[in-house]
Amino acid sequence: MKKIGIIGYGRFGKVLHDLLSKRFEVLVYDFNEKCLENIAAHALEEVLDCVLVFVAVPISAFENCMEEISKFKLYNTTILDVCSVKVYPVQIMEKKLAEHVGIIGTHPHFGPDSYTPFRELKVTLCPIRDEYNRMDEIRDIFESLSIRVVEMTPDQHDKVAASSQGITHFIGRVLKEAGVRSTEINTLGFNDLLGVIEQTCNDSWDLFRDLQKYNPYTGEMIDRLIGKINEVHRQITEDAN
Protein backbone atom coordinates (compact mmCIF):
# COMPACT_ATOMS: atom_id res chain seq x y z
CA MET A 1 0.00 0.00 0.00
CA LYS A 2 1.35 3.42 -0.95
CA LYS A 3 2.38 5.73 1.88
CA ILE A 4 1.28 9.35 2.27
CA GLY A 5 2.55 11.68 4.98
CA ILE A 6 0.70 14.23 7.10
CA ILE A 7 2.42 16.85 9.22
CA GLY A 8 -0.04 18.24 11.77
CA TYR A 9 -2.72 16.23 13.53
CA GLY A 10 -5.12 18.93 14.68
CA ARG A 11 -8.83 19.12 13.83
CA PHE A 12 -8.31 19.12 10.07
CA GLY A 13 -5.35 16.77 10.16
CA LYS A 14 -7.68 14.17 11.66
CA VAL A 15 -10.20 14.67 8.82
CA LEU A 16 -7.43 14.35 6.25
CA HIS A 17 -6.14 11.20 7.91
CA ASP A 18 -9.63 9.69 7.88
CA LEU A 19 -10.02 10.43 4.17
CA LEU A 20 -6.61 9.28 2.99
CA SER A 21 -6.42 6.14 5.13
CA LYS A 22 -9.26 4.69 3.05
CA ARG A 23 -6.74 4.12 0.24
CA PHE A 24 -3.26 4.63 1.67
CA GLU A 25 -1.00 3.91 4.57
CA VAL A 26 -0.83 7.30 6.29
CA LEU A 27 2.18 8.32 8.37
CA VAL A 28 1.55 11.19 10.79
CA TYR A 29 3.85 13.59 12.60
CA ASP A 30 2.97 16.52 14.83
CA PHE A 31 5.35 18.96 16.49
CA ASN A 32 3.13 18.65 19.58
CA GLU A 33 3.45 15.04 20.73
CA LYS A 34 0.28 15.29 22.84
CA CYS A 35 -1.77 15.46 19.63
CA LEU A 36 -0.63 11.93 18.75
CA GLU A 37 -1.69 10.12 21.92
CA ASN A 38 -4.39 8.09 20.13
CA ILE A 39 -2.56 7.30 16.90
CA ALA A 40 0.69 5.67 15.82
CA ALA A 41 3.29 8.45 15.70
CA HIS A 42 6.18 8.60 13.27
CA ALA A 43 9.39 10.57 13.17
CA LEU A 44 9.44 13.64 10.95
CA GLU A 45 12.13 12.00 8.81
CA GLU A 46 9.88 8.98 8.21
CA VAL A 47 6.96 11.15 7.14
CA LEU A 48 9.16 13.16 4.79
CA ASP A 49 10.29 9.94 3.10
CA CYS A 50 6.79 9.75 1.57
CA VAL A 51 6.54 11.11 -1.97
CA LEU A 52 3.38 13.06 -1.05
CA VAL A 53 3.33 15.01 2.22
CA PHE A 54 0.35 17.10 3.32
CA VAL A 55 1.14 19.92 5.75
CA ALA A 56 -1.83 20.63 8.03
CA VAL A 57 -0.35 22.96 10.64
CA PRO A 58 -1.93 26.33 11.62
CA ILE A 59 -0.99 29.02 9.12
CA SER A 60 0.63 31.03 11.92
CA ALA A 61 3.07 28.13 12.37
CA PHE A 62 3.50 27.46 8.67
CA GLU A 63 6.76 29.32 8.09
CA ASN A 64 8.47 27.67 11.06
CA CYS A 65 7.26 24.29 9.79
CA MET A 66 8.77 24.96 6.36
CA GLU A 67 12.03 25.96 8.06
CA GLU A 68 12.14 22.58 9.80
CA ILE A 69 11.33 20.40 6.81
CA SER A 70 13.70 22.35 4.54
CA LYS A 71 16.55 20.82 6.58
CA PHE A 72 15.84 17.47 4.91
CA LYS A 73 16.90 16.55 1.36
CA LEU A 74 13.33 15.94 0.12
CA TYR A 75 14.35 14.43 -3.21
CA ASN A 76 11.32 12.96 -5.02
CA THR A 77 9.02 14.70 -2.50
CA THR A 78 5.97 16.85 -3.23
CA ILE A 79 4.74 19.08 -0.41
CA LEU A 80 1.05 20.01 -0.29
CA ASP A 81 -0.30 22.63 2.10
CA VAL A 82 -3.98 22.69 3.07
CA CYS A 83 -4.24 26.32 4.18
CA SER A 84 -7.50 28.19 3.62
CA VAL A 85 -5.55 30.95 1.85
CA LYS A 86 -3.08 30.29 -0.92
CA VAL A 87 -0.87 33.28 -1.78
CA TYR A 88 0.91 33.38 1.58
CA PRO A 89 1.75 29.65 2.04
CA VAL A 90 2.81 29.31 -1.59
CA GLN A 91 5.21 32.23 -1.21
CA ILE A 92 6.65 30.65 1.93
CA MET A 93 7.09 27.25 0.27
CA GLU A 94 8.78 28.77 -2.78
CA LYS A 95 11.08 30.76 -0.49
CA LYS A 96 12.00 27.99 1.96
CA LEU A 97 11.99 24.79 -0.09
CA ALA A 98 14.76 23.87 -2.54
CA GLU A 99 13.97 24.04 -6.24
CA HIS A 100 13.89 20.24 -6.59
CA VAL A 101 11.01 19.96 -4.09
CA GLY A 102 7.55 19.67 -5.61
CA ILE A 103 4.95 22.21 -4.43
CA ILE A 104 1.18 21.87 -4.85
CA GLY A 105 -1.12 24.28 -3.04
CA THR A 106 -4.44 22.78 -1.96
CA HIS A 107 -7.50 24.09 -0.17
CA PRO A 108 -10.08 21.46 0.79
CA HIS A 109 -13.36 23.40 0.96
CA PHE A 110 -14.62 21.50 3.99
CA GLY A 111 -13.53 21.07 7.56
CA PRO A 112 -14.23 19.15 10.75
CA ASP A 113 -17.69 20.75 11.05
CA SER A 114 -18.71 20.68 7.38
CA TYR A 115 -17.19 17.41 6.19
CA THR A 116 -19.71 14.73 5.32
CA PRO A 117 -19.69 12.14 2.53
CA PHE A 118 -23.34 12.96 1.83
CA ARG A 119 -22.83 16.42 0.34
CA GLU A 120 -20.80 17.76 -2.55
CA LEU A 121 -17.24 18.42 -1.49
CA LYS A 122 -14.68 20.47 -3.39
CA VAL A 123 -10.94 21.09 -3.26
CA THR A 124 -8.87 23.76 -5.00
CA LEU A 125 -5.51 22.71 -6.42
CA CYS A 126 -2.75 25.17 -7.32
CA PRO A 127 0.06 23.44 -9.26
CA ILE A 128 3.05 25.62 -8.38
CA ARG A 129 6.07 23.43 -8.94
CA ASP A 130 5.02 19.98 -10.11
CA GLU A 131 8.57 18.67 -10.43
CA TYR A 132 7.50 15.03 -10.38
CA ASN A 133 4.31 15.22 -12.49
CA ARG A 134 1.99 14.27 -9.65
CA MET A 135 -0.98 16.54 -10.40
CA ASP A 136 -2.92 13.76 -12.12
CA GLU A 137 -2.26 11.44 -9.17
CA ILE A 138 -3.39 14.07 -6.65
CA ARG A 139 -6.47 14.82 -8.71
CA ASP A 140 -7.27 11.11 -8.81
CA ILE A 141 -6.89 10.81 -5.02
CA PHE A 142 -9.53 13.48 -4.39
CA GLU A 143 -11.88 12.43 -7.19
CA SER A 144 -11.77 8.81 -6.00
CA LEU A 145 -13.11 10.15 -2.68
CA SER A 146 -15.94 11.95 -4.55
CA ILE A 147 -14.30 15.34 -4.00
CA ARG A 148 -14.57 17.68 -7.00
CA VAL A 149 -11.33 19.34 -8.07
CA VAL A 150 -11.10 23.01 -9.05
CA GLU A 151 -7.80 24.30 -10.43
CA MET A 152 -6.75 27.95 -10.21
CA THR A 153 -3.85 30.22 -9.27
CA PRO A 154 -3.22 31.23 -5.64
CA ASP A 155 -4.20 34.84 -6.41
CA GLN A 156 -7.43 33.80 -8.12
CA HIS A 157 -8.22 31.57 -5.16
CA ASP A 158 -7.72 34.27 -2.53
CA LYS A 159 -9.85 36.78 -4.43
CA VAL A 160 -12.73 34.32 -4.63
CA ALA A 161 -12.23 32.98 -1.09
CA ALA A 162 -12.39 36.49 0.42
CA SER A 163 -15.96 36.88 -0.83
CA SER A 164 -17.04 33.32 -0.03
CA GLN A 165 -15.30 31.63 2.87
CA GLY A 166 -13.94 34.86 4.34
CA ILE A 167 -17.30 36.61 4.45
CA THR A 168 -19.07 33.48 5.76
CA HIS A 169 -16.70 33.17 8.72
CA PHE A 170 -16.80 36.92 9.37
CA ILE A 171 -20.60 37.05 9.44
CA GLY A 172 -20.77 33.89 11.57
CA ARG A 173 -18.50 35.46 14.19
CA VAL A 174 -20.36 38.76 14.14
CA LEU A 175 -23.69 37.00 14.64
CA LYS A 176 -22.29 35.03 17.57
CA GLU A 177 -20.75 38.11 19.18
CA ALA A 178 -24.09 39.91 18.70
CA GLY A 179 -25.77 37.24 20.82
CA VAL A 180 -27.89 35.70 18.07
CA ARG A 181 -29.57 32.58 19.47
CA SER A 182 -32.30 30.14 18.57
CA THR A 183 -35.88 31.17 19.41
CA GLU A 184 -39.28 29.49 19.63
CA ILE A 185 -40.35 31.04 16.31
CA ASN A 186 -37.35 30.32 14.07
CA THR A 187 -37.93 30.67 10.35
CA LEU A 188 -36.12 28.45 7.86
CA GLY A 189 -33.91 31.38 6.88
CA PHE A 190 -33.01 32.04 10.51
CA ASN A 191 -32.14 28.37 10.99
CA ASP A 192 -29.74 28.72 8.07
CA LEU A 193 -28.08 31.65 9.88
CA LEU A 194 -27.78 29.55 13.03
CA GLY A 195 -26.15 26.87 10.90
CA VAL A 196 -23.57 29.41 9.73
CA ILE A 197 -22.77 30.30 13.36
CA GLU A 198 -22.43 26.66 14.34
CA GLN A 199 -20.24 25.80 11.36
CA THR A 200 -17.89 28.77 11.64
CA CYS A 201 -17.51 29.28 15.38
CA ASN A 202 -16.30 25.86 16.50
CA ASP A 203 -12.83 26.75 15.29
CA SER A 204 -10.59 28.77 17.57
CA TRP A 205 -10.44 32.55 17.50
CA ASP A 206 -6.81 32.25 16.37
CA LEU A 207 -7.82 30.22 13.32
CA PHE A 208 -10.56 32.72 12.45
CA ARG A 209 -8.18 35.65 12.84
CA ASP A 210 -5.54 33.98 10.67
CA LEU A 211 -8.11 33.22 7.97
CA GLN A 212 -8.86 36.95 7.75
CA LYS A 213 -5.30 38.16 8.32
CA TYR A 214 -3.45 36.10 5.72
CA ASN A 215 -5.82 36.65 2.80
CA PRO A 216 -4.70 39.89 1.07
CA TYR A 217 -8.25 40.59 -0.16
CA THR A 218 -10.21 40.07 3.06
CA GLY A 219 -9.69 43.58 4.48
CA GLU A 220 -11.24 45.16 1.39
CA MET A 221 -14.16 42.74 1.58
CA ILE A 222 -14.83 43.53 5.26
CA ASP A 223 -14.61 47.29 4.70
CA ARG A 224 -17.09 47.03 1.84
CA LEU A 225 -19.45 44.89 3.91
CA ILE A 226 -19.35 47.26 6.89
CA GLY A 227 -19.90 50.20 4.56
CA LYS A 228 -23.00 48.61 3.08
CA ILE A 229 -24.35 47.70 6.53
CA ASN A 230 -24.02 51.33 7.58
CA GLU A 231 -25.62 52.47 4.32
CA VAL A 232 -28.64 50.19 4.71
CA HIS A 233 -28.99 51.19 8.37
CA ARG A 234 -28.89 54.83 7.43
CA GLN A 235 -31.61 54.31 4.82
CA ILE A 236 -33.81 52.57 7.41
CA THR A 237 -33.29 55.42 9.83
CA GLU A 238 -34.08 58.04 7.21
CA ASP A 239 -37.25 56.20 6.14
CA ALA A 240 -38.40 56.02 9.77
CA ASN A 241 -38.03 59.77 10.10
Side-chain angles (χ1 to χ4, degrees):
M1 182 179 287
K2 185 171 183 177
K3 297 178 181 179
I4 288 183
I6 297 177
I7 298 175
Y9 197 63
R11 295 186 75 223
F12 187 75
K14 291 180 173 67
V15 173
L16 193 60
H17 178 272
D18 181 61
L19 283 170
L20 295 176
S21 60
K22 292 177 171 59
R23 289 188 56 191
F24 305 97
E25 180 182 355
V26 182
L27 279 60
V28 179
Y29 173 83
D30 197 293
F31 291 98
N32 182 357
E33 294 182 359
K34 292 182 179 179
C35 294
L36 301 171
E37 291 177 349
N38 298 315
I39 189 173
H42 295 82
L44 180 57
E45 185 175 9
E46 287 182 89
V47 172
L48 291 173
D49 277 341
C50 300
V51 296
L52 296 177
V53 179
F54 286 86
V55 178
V57 302
I59 194 169
S60 57
F62 191 79
E63 184 168 6
N64 287 339
C65 177
M66 289 301 109
E67 288 275 8
E68 286 298 315
I69 70 176
S70 68
K71 298 173 183 177
F72 296 82
K73 293 181 178 180
L74 301 177
Y75 287 108
N76 198 36
T77 304
T78 296
I79 301 295
L80 306 96
D81 81 286
V82 295
C83 296
S84 296
V85 299
K86 292 273 65 75
V87 171
Y88 172 78
V90 163
Q91 288 176 341
I92 295 298
M93 288 189 285
E94 289 182 311
K95 176 182 176 182
K96 299 293 183 181
L97 301 178
E99 291 185 358
H100 65 264
V101 181
I103 297 173
I104 306 291
T106 85
H107 177 196
H109 296 281
F110 52 89
D113 302 306
S114 59
Y115 164 67
T116 168
F118 304 109
R119 67 172 61 174
E120 183 190 37
L121 302 177
K122 295 188 289 291
V123 61
T124 292
L125 298 183
C126 303
I128 305 303
R129 206 160 68 196
D130 191 12
E131 293 296 304
Y132 305 105
N133 299 313
R134 295 200 171 112
M135 266 296 290
D136 288 343
E137 179 182 1
I138 295 164
R139 182 186 295 273
D140 176 69
I141 289 173
F142 284 111
E143 290 181 345
S144 71
L145 296 167
S146 300
I147 299 172
R148 184 163 68 86
V149 172
V150 179
E151 187 174 328
M152 59 179 64
T153 68
D155 192 68
Q156 288 172 330
H157 169 275
D158 284 3
K159 285 180 180 177
V160 174
S163 58
S164 57
Q165 184 186 40
I167 201 168
T168 301
H169 280 258
F170 183 79
I171 289 175
R173 287 285 171 170
V174 169
L175 292 173
K176 181 179 180 180
E177 294 299 316
V180 174
R181 300 288 185 272
S182 182
T183 74
E184 295 181 0
I185 55 172
N186 288 5
T187 62
L188 292 177
F190 185 65
N191 283 334
D192 288 340
L193 283 179
L194 294 175
V196 169
I197 297 172
E198 181 179 359
Q199 180 180 324
T200 58
C201 294
N202 281 334
D203 291 320
S204 69
W205 178 265
D206 286 342
L207 191 150
F208 164 71
R209 180 196 59 203
D210 290 345
L211 176 66
Q212 308 297 325
K213 174 183 176 181
Y214 287 98
N215 187 322
Y217 299 101
T218 299
E220 178 184 348
M221 177 275 297
I222 292 174
D223 289 342
R224 186 167 60 250
L225 175 65
I226 292 173
K228 291 302 179 181
I229 289 173
N230 290 332
E231 182 180 318
V232 171
H233 183 255
R234 184 170 60 254
Q235 291 175 355
I236 294 172
T237 305
E238 290 172 352
D239 291 343
N241 294 331

PDB file of all heavy atoms in Angstrom, residues 44-66:
ATOM      1  N   LEU A  44       9.579  12.713  12.074  1.00  0.00           N
ATOM      2  CA  LEU A  44       9.444  13.642  10.946  1.00  0.00           C
ATOM      3  C   LEU A  44      10.182  13.117   9.725  1.00  0.00           C
ATOM      4  O   LEU A  44       9.688  13.219   8.592  1.00  0.00           O
ATOM      5  CB  LEU A  44       9.972  15.027  11.348  1.00  0.00           C
ATOM      6  CG  LEU A  44       9.893  16.122  10.284  1.00  0.00           C
ATOM      7  CD1 LEU A  44       8.472  16.324   9.797  1.00  0.00           C
ATOM      8  CD2 LEU A  44      10.466  17.431  10.846  1.00  0.00           C
ATOM      9  N   GLU A  45      11.343  12.535   9.926  1.00  0.00           N
ATOM     10  CA  GLU A  45      12.126  12.001   8.812  1.00  0.00           C
ATOM     11  C   GLU A  45      11.375  10.897   8.076  1.00  0.00           C
ATOM     12  O   GLU A  45      11.408  10.813   6.841  1.00  0.00           O
ATOM     13  CB  GLU A  45      13.459  11.476   9.330  1.00  0.00           C
ATOM     14  CG  GLU A  45      14.394  11.000   8.232  1.00  0.00           C
ATOM     15  CD  GLU A  45      15.757  10.605   8.770  1.00  0.00           C
ATOM     16  OE1 GLU A  45      15.910  10.541  10.016  1.00  0.00           O
ATOM     17  OE2 GLU A  45      16.665  10.369   7.949  1.00  0.00           O
ATOM     18  N   GLU A  46      10.667  10.046   8.831  1.00  0.00           N
ATOM     19  CA  GLU A  46       9.877   8.976   8.213  1.00  0.00           C
ATOM     20  C   GLU A  46       8.767   9.554   7.347  1.00  0.00           C
ATOM     21  O   GLU A  46       8.527   9.092   6.229  1.00  0.00           O
ATOM     22  CB  GLU A  46       9.247   8.093   9.292  1.00  0.00           C
ATOM     23  CG  GLU A  46      10.175   7.175  10.032  1.00  0.00           C
ATOM     24  CD  GLU A  46       9.404   6.329  11.020  1.00  0.00           C
ATOM     25  OE1 GLU A  46       8.940   5.239  10.634  1.00  0.00           O
ATOM     26  OE2 GLU A  46       9.231   6.773  12.172  1.00  0.00           O
ATOM     27  N   VAL A  47       8.077  10.547   7.877  1.00  0.00           N
ATOM     28  CA  VAL A  47       6.962  11.147   7.140  1.00  0.00           C
ATOM     29  C   VAL A  47       7.465  11.808   5.861  1.00  0.00           C
ATOM     30  O   VAL A  47       6.851  11.700   4.794  1.00  0.00           O
ATOM     31  CB  VAL A  47       6.222  12.175   8.034  1.00  0.00           C
ATOM     32  CG1 VAL A  47       5.182  12.942   7.225  1.00  0.00           C
ATOM     33  CG2 VAL A  47       5.566  11.465   9.206  1.00  0.00           C
ATOM     34  N   LEU A  48       8.608  12.471   5.947  1.00  0.00           N
ATOM     35  CA  LEU A  48       9.157  13.163   4.789  1.00  0.00           C
ATOM     36  C   LEU A  48       9.782  12.215   3.766  1.00  0.00           C
ATOM     37  O   LEU A  48      10.148  12.639   2.668  1.00  0.00           O
ATOM     38  CB  LEU A  48      10.186  14.199   5.237  1.00  0.00           C
ATOM     39  CG  LEU A  48       9.589  15.401   5.985  1.00  0.00           C
ATOM     40  CD1 LEU A  48      10.695  16.296   6.544  1.00  0.00           C
ATOM     41  CD2 LEU A  48       8.664  16.205   5.082  1.00  0.00           C
ATOM     42  N   ASP A  49       9.875  10.943   4.078  1.00  0.00           N
ATOM     43  CA  ASP A  49      10.289   9.942   3.098  1.00  0.00           C
ATOM     44  C   ASP A  49       9.155   9.602   2.132  1.00  0.00           C
ATOM     45  O   ASP A  49       9.395   8.998   1.078  1.00  0.00           O
ATOM     46  CB  ASP A  49      10.759   8.656   3.794  1.00  0.00           C
ATOM     47  CG  ASP A  49      12.211   8.742   4.244  1.00  0.00           C
ATOM     48  OD1 ASP A  49      12.936   9.605   3.710  1.00  0.00           O
ATOM     49  OD2 ASP A  49      12.613   7.968   5.126  1.00  0.00           O
ATOM     50  N   CYS A  50       7.926   9.964   2.473  1.00  0.00           N
ATOM     51  CA  CYS A  50       6.793   9.749   1.567  1.00  0.00           C
ATOM     52  C   CYS A  50       6.914  10.692   0.375  1.00  0.00           C
ATOM     53  O   CYS A  50       7.428  11.808   0.501  1.00  0.00           O
ATOM     54  CB  CYS A  50       5.467  10.017   2.294  1.00  0.00           C
ATOM     55  SG  CYS A  50       5.165   8.966   3.733  1.00  0.00           S
ATOM     56  N   VAL A  51       6.419  10.255  -0.782  1.00  0.00           N
ATOM     57  CA  VAL A  51       6.539  11.105  -1.970  1.00  0.00           C
ATOM     58  C   VAL A  51       5.509  12.236  -1.946  1.00  0.00           C
ATOM     59  O   VAL A  51       5.713  13.281  -2.564  1.00  0.00           O
ATOM     60  CB  VAL A  51       6.408  10.287  -3.268  1.00  0.00           C
ATOM     61  CG1 VAL A  51       7.549   9.301  -3.389  1.00  0.00           C
ATOM     62  CG2 VAL A  51       5.065   9.583  -3.357  1.00  0.00           C
ATOM     63  N   LEU A  52       4.391  12.026  -1.240  1.00  0.00           N
ATOM     64  CA  LEU A  52       3.377  13.063  -1.055  1.00  0.00           C
ATOM     65  C   LEU A  52       3.253  13.353   0.433  1.00  0.00           C
ATOM     66  O   LEU A  52       3.003  12.445   1.234  1.00  0.00           O
ATOM     67  CB  LEU A  52       2.016  12.624  -1.601  1.00  0.00           C
ATOM     68  CG  LEU A  52       1.907  12.382  -3.109  1.00  0.00           C
ATOM     69  CD1 LEU A  52       0.503  11.885  -3.460  1.00  0.00           C
ATOM     70  CD2 LEU A  52       2.216  13.645  -3.894  1.00  0.00           C
ATOM     71  N   VAL A  53       3.414  14.629   0.808  1.00  0.00           N
ATOM     72  CA  VAL A  53       3.330  15.011   2.218  1.00  0.00           C
ATOM     73  C   VAL A  53       2.398  16.215   2.340  1.00  0.00           C
ATOM     74  O   VAL A  53       2.676  17.289   1.800  1.00  0.00           O
ATOM     75  CB  VAL A  53       4.713  15.372   2.792  1.00  0.00           C
ATOM     76  CG1 VAL A  53       4.569  15.791   4.256  1.00  0.00           C
ATOM     77  CG2 VAL A  53       5.680  14.206   2.655  1.00  0.00           C
ATOM     78  N   PHE A  54       1.293  16.022   3.044  1.00  0.00           N
ATOM     79  CA  PHE A  54       0.352  17.103   3.321  1.00  0.00           C
ATOM     80  C   PHE A  54       0.763  17.804   4.606  1.00  0.00           C
ATOM     81  O   PHE A  54       1.027  17.157   5.621  1.00  0.00           O
ATOM     82  CB  PHE A  54      -1.073  16.560   3.476  1.00  0.00           C
ATOM     83  CG  PHE A  54      -1.718  16.139   2.186  1.00  0.00           C
ATOM     84  CD1 PHE A  54      -1.524  14.865   1.676  1.00  0.00           C
ATOM     85  CD2 PHE A  54      -2.523  17.026   1.478  1.00  0.00           C
ATOM     86  CE1 PHE A  54      -2.128  14.473   0.482  1.00  0.00           C
ATOM     87  CE2 PHE A  54      -3.130  16.649   0.293  1.00  0.00           C
ATOM     88  CZ  PHE A  54      -2.932  15.371  -0.210  1.00  0.00           C
ATOM     89  N   VAL A  55       0.797  19.128   4.568  1.00  0.00           N
ATOM     90  CA  VAL A  55       1.139  19.917   5.747  1.00  0.00           C
ATOM     91  C   VAL A  55      -0.136  20.576   6.267  1.00  0.00           C
ATOM     92  O   VAL A  55      -0.735  21.411   5.593  1.00  0.00           O
ATOM     93  CB  VAL A  55       2.201  20.983   5.425  1.00  0.00           C
ATOM     94  CG1 VAL A  55       2.508  21.821   6.663  1.00  0.00           C
ATOM     95  CG2 VAL A  55       3.472  20.314   4.906  1.00  0.00           C
ATOM     96  N   ALA A  56      -0.560  20.171   7.470  1.00  0.00           N
ATOM     97  CA  ALA A  56      -1.834  20.628   8.031  1.00  0.00           C
ATOM     98  C   ALA A  56      -1.621  21.329   9.364  1.00  0.00           C
ATOM     99  O   ALA A  56      -2.353  21.106  10.325  1.00  0.00           O
ATOM    100  CB  ALA A  56      -2.793  19.451   8.193  1.00  0.00           C
ATOM    101  N   VAL A  57      -0.612  22.188   9.427  1.00  0.00           N
ATOM    102  CA  VAL A  57      -0.354  22.962  10.645  1.00  0.00           C
ATOM    103  C   VAL A  57      -1.085  24.296  10.553  1.00  0.00           C
ATOM    104  O   VAL A  57      -1.442  24.741   9.462  1.00  0.00           O
ATOM    105  CB  VAL A  57       1.163  23.202  10.846  1.00  0.00           C
ATOM    106  CG1 VAL A  57       1.898  21.877  10.927  1.00  0.00           C
ATOM    107  CG2 VAL A  57       1.735  24.072   9.720  1.00  0.00           C
ATOM    108  N   PRO A  58      -1.325  24.981  11.680  1.00  0.00           N
ATOM    109  CA  PRO A  58      -1.932  26.325  11.623  1.00  0.00           C
ATOM    110  C   PRO A  58      -1.085  27.254  10.759  1.00  0.00           C
ATOM    111  O   PRO A  58       0.154  27.160  10.760  1.00  0.00           O
ATOM    112  CB  PRO A  58      -1.939  26.772  13.092  1.00  0.00           C
ATOM    113  CG  PRO A  58      -1.900  25.501  13.881  1.00  0.00           C
ATOM    114  CD  PRO A  58      -1.081  24.538  13.072  1.00  0.00           C
ATOM    115  N   ILE A  59      -1.729  28.146  10.036  1.00  0.00           N
ATOM    116  CA  ILE A  59      -0.990  29.016   9.125  1.00  0.00           C
ATOM    117  C   ILE A  59       0.001  29.903   9.873  1.00  0.00           C
ATOM    118  O   ILE A  59       1.055  30.263   9.339  1.00  0.00           O
ATOM    119  CB  ILE A  59      -1.964  29.864   8.272  1.00  0.00           C
ATOM    120  CG1 ILE A  59      -1.209  30.505   7.101  1.00  0.00           C
ATOM    121  CG2 ILE A  59      -2.699  30.883   9.124  1.00  0.00           C
ATOM    122  CD1 ILE A  59      -2.116  31.132   6.064  1.00  0.00           C
ATOM    123  N   SER A  60      -0.300  30.226  11.126  1.00  0.00           N
ATOM    124  CA  SER A  60       0.626  31.032  11.919  1.00  0.00           C
ATOM    125  C   SER A  60       1.921  30.285  12.221  1.00  0.00           C
ATOM    126  O   SER A  60       2.950  30.895  12.534  1.00  0.00           O
ATOM    127  CB  SER A  60      -0.038  31.467  13.232  1.00  0.00           C
ATOM    128  OG  SER A  60      -0.478  30.342  13.967  1.00  0.00           O
ATOM    129  N   ALA A  61       1.875  28.951  12.127  1.00  0.00           N
ATOM    130  CA  ALA A  61       3.071  28.128  12.372  1.00  0.00           C
ATOM    131  C   ALA A  61       3.677  27.622  11.075  1.00  0.00           C
ATOM    132  O   ALA A  61       4.659  26.860  11.095  1.00  0.00           O
ATOM    133  CB  ALA A  61       2.709  26.937  13.266  1.00  0.00           C
ATOM    134  N   PHE A  62       3.125  28.051   9.952  1.00  0.00           N
ATOM    135  CA  PHE A  62       3.498  27.460   8.667  1.00  0.00           C
ATOM    136  C   PHE A  62       4.952  27.743   8.296  1.00  0.00           C
ATOM    137  O   PHE A  62       5.678  26.852   7.862  1.00  0.00           O
ATOM    138  CB  PHE A  62       2.564  27.972   7.571  1.00  0.00           C
ATOM    139  CG  PHE A  62       2.697  27.237   6.270  1.00  0.00           C
ATOM    140  CD1 PHE A  62       2.110  26.003   6.106  1.00  0.00           C
ATOM    141  CD2 PHE A  62       3.429  27.775   5.224  1.00  0.00           C
ATOM    142  CE1 PHE A  62       2.237  25.301   4.905  1.00  0.00           C
ATOM    143  CE2 PHE A  62       3.571  27.086   4.027  1.00  0.00           C
ATOM    144  CZ  PHE A  62       2.970  25.851   3.867  1.00  0.00           C
ATOM    145  N   GLU A  63       5.399  28.979   8.479  1.00  0.00           N
ATOM    146  CA  GLU A  63       6.760  29.323   8.087  1.00  0.00           C
ATOM    147  C   GLU A  63       7.782  28.546   8.918  1.00  0.00           C
ATOM    148  O   GLU A  63       8.772  28.035   8.376  1.00  0.00           O
ATOM    149  CB  GLU A  63       7.008  30.827   8.219  1.00  0.00           C
ATOM    150  CG  GLU A  63       8.382  31.248   7.718  1.00  0.00           C
ATOM    151  CD  GLU A  63       8.544  32.749   7.580  1.00  0.00           C
ATOM    152  OE1 GLU A  63       7.630  33.498   7.986  1.00  0.00           O
ATOM    153  OE2 GLU A  63       9.593  33.174   7.051  1.00  0.00           O
ATOM    154  N   ASN A  64       7.552  28.439  10.209  1.00  0.00           N
ATOM    155  CA  ASN A  64       8.466  27.667  11.060  1.00  0.00           C
ATOM    156  C   ASN A  64       8.497  26.200  10.645  1.00  0.00           C
ATOM    157  O   ASN A  64       9.555  25.555  10.672  1.00  0.00           O
ATOM    158  CB  ASN A  64       8.062  27.785  12.527  1.00  0.00           C
ATOM    159  CG  ASN A  64       8.382  29.146  13.109  1.00  0.00           C
ATOM    160  OD1 ASN A  64       9.226  29.878  12.582  1.00  0.00           O
ATOM    161  ND2 ASN A  64       7.707  29.503  14.191  1.00  0.00           N
ATOM    162  N   CYS A  65       7.330  25.676  10.257  1.00  0.00           N
ATOM    163  CA  CYS A  65       7.262  24.290   9.788  1.00  0.00           C
ATOM    164  C   CYS A  65       8.100  24.111   8.526  1.00  0.00           C
ATOM    165  O   CYS A  65       8.848  23.136   8.395  1.00  0.00           O
ATOM    166  CB  CYS A  65       5.807  23.895   9.533  1.00  0.00           C
ATOM    167  SG  CYS A  65       5.604  22.227   8.869  1.00  0.00           S
ATOM    168  N   MET A  66       7.983  25.049   7.593  1.00  0.00           N
ATOM    169  CA  MET A  66       8.774  24.961   6.363  1.00  0.00           C
ATOM    170  C   MET A  66      10.270  25.049   6.658  1.00  0.00           C
ATOM    171  O   MET A  66      11.084  24.396   6.011  1.00  0.00           O
ATOM    172  CB  MET A  66       8.368  26.075   5.395  1.00  0.00           C
ATOM    173  CG  MET A  66       6.994  25.904   4.768  1.00  0.00           C
ATOM    174  SD  MET A  66       6.810  24.365   3.820  1.00  0.00           S
ATOM    175  CE  MET A  66       5.705  23.450   4.906  1.00  0.00           C
TER     176      MET A  66
END
